Amino acid sequence: MRKLKLEELNRVSVSEFKKQDKIPLVVVMENIRSLNNIGTIFRTCDAFNVESIFLVGITARPPHREIQKTALGATESVDWQYFQTSEQAISILKSKGFTILSVEQVEGSTSIADINKINCNKIALVLGNEISGVDQLTINSSYACLEIPQYGTKHSLNVAVCAGIIIWECFNKLKNI
């Protein structure tokens, strides 16, 4: 094996990326406080050709130097919008036919391993605050809540790590739609 050089990775330009067909996935960041987490999630959305990002509440918006540190330019490639409230964002998403799936530990949550059992072809994935998680009103507006099974003592993951796992699973579900 030989490590590939940067020019061998077949990276597309920002303008080429914007023209590509996207997977029907919108990532909603609800009150994410860490600028590094925001940037990392932007970068993950770029990697998996996500349609759009909705930033809500206290979630910081580009351009911001601290977001850019981890986004590495993904704030330029991935389309995004800002909303003051989750209710505004969810209303628009529902009107466009998106199924709202929050990522939260709740009674009756759906294991991420069972995502293919959810009958939908457009997903809006809500990620919540690093401390308090997804707001209960948002959970009430969700079709389901996804949970990543965990077996250690903490039963919590960093929101950017969680986003990477769940976006990958959503990508696999939606890529052929």
Side-chain angles (χ1 to χ4, degrees):
M1 284 186 274
R2 175 184 65 81
K3 183 176 175 179
L4 294 174
K5 295 180 180 161
L6 193 57
E7 59 272 7
E8 294 176 292
L9 296 178
N10 298 319
R11 291 171 55 178
V12 297
S13 68
V14 170
S15 61
E16 290 169 323
F17 178 87
K18 290 204 175 268
K19 292 175 189 171
Q20 289 179 158
D21 288 334
K22 305 290 185 272
I23 63 165
L25 175 64
V26 173
V27 173
V28 180
M29 288 190 245
E30 181 184 77
N31 297 315
I32 306 285
R33 53 188 180 89
S34 165
L35 302 173
N36 289 326
N37 284 337
I38 296 165
T40 299
I41 295 168
F42 261 96
R43 194 163 157 197
T44 301
C45 289
D46 175 277
F48 295 111
N49 213 17
V50 167
E51 183 175 315
S52 182
I53 293 174
F54 282 16
L55 306 171
V56 175
I58 67 164
T59 307
R61 294 166 272 178
H64 195 289
R65 198 180 88 143
E66 292 300 312
I67 293 173
Q68 193 55 27
K69 275 186 186 179
T70 51
L72 296 178
T75 57
E76 302 302 317
S77 57
V78 179
D79 289 337
W80 62 272
Q81 297 177 62
Y82 173 77
F83 298 88
Q84 289 212 286
T85 68
S86 294
E87 294 81 20
Q88 293 169 324
I90 288 170
S91 176
I92 288 170
L93 290 163
K94 284 185 174 181
S95 75
K96 293 181 177 184
F98 282 87
T99 299
I100 311 302
L101 301 177
S102 290
V103 181
E104 191 58 84
Q105 297 167 331
V106 300
E107 295 173 344
S109 63
T110 301
S111 171
I112 188 61
D114 294 326
I115 192 170
N116 286 325
K117 294 178 182 176
I118 298 173
N119 186 19
C120 63
N121 57 11
K122 294 170 81 173
I123 296 173
L125 187 67
V126 182
L127 302 165
N129 178 274
E130 293 91 338
I131 302 299
S132 58
V134 176
D135 186 85
Q136 184 63 51
L137 289 175
T138 302
I139 291 168
N140 296 347
S141 296
S142 299
Y143 175 80
C145 286
L146 298 174
E147 185 173 351
I148 300 170
Q150 298 171 55
Y151 305 99
T153 62
K154 299 301 174 206
H155 285 270
S156 70
L157 292 169
N158 172 277
V159 68
V161 171
C162 179
I165 294 167
I166 302 245
I167 291 169
W168 170 249
E169 293 295 334
C170 289
F171 174 83
N172 284 318
K173 176 180 175 57
L174 299 171
K175 68 182 173 187
N176 296 319
I177 291 179

